[in-house]
Amino acid sequence: MPRHHQKKNSAPGGGSQRQLRVGEQVRHAMAEILAQGNVHDADLEGHIITVPEVRMSPDLKLATVYVMPLGGHDTAVVIAALERNKKFLRGEVARRVNLKFAPDLRFRVDERFDEAERIEKLLRTPAVQKDLEQDLEQDPETDREEER
């Protein structure tokens, strides 16, 4: 009777070490391609695009590229332009990253910056500030350090 083993990801939310390593190589290649301006598209020429993360599928045949235009403006236009030039970008990535198969590329907007800003605004609200001040006043660790 065959036994089926399920692989557990060693890194939470990121995949295996191999996925992380290859994703980082693809990220560097994509960032270099976009920084050099090798993609000749009118919609991309006026934008500086950052590539904060690339997630690879377990078989390394699919790369989800998270991008963010500088300032967060025109994200839909930039994603559409990258999708139009997907074939060229895939070829460039294949030349720069030594893999058996060139991964298919999917482009997504990186929303971590928006989420971080939302959390920062939440932490600056008066209600949260009040709670933080109360916690500092009632923290027994702080009292012990003051007695020393």
Side-chain angles (χ1 to χ4, degrees), residues 108-119:
R108 302 285 183 261
V109 176
D110 185 31
E111 301 195 352
R112 284 185 283 183
F113 298 114
D114 295 335
E115 183 66 16
E117 184 178 341
R118 186 187 70 78
I119 291 170

Side-chain angles (χ1 to χ4, degrees), residues 46-58:
H47 293 92
I48 297 174
I49 302 167
T50 56
V51 184
E53 182 180 14
V54 174
R55 291 187 187 161
M56 299 298 296
S57 64

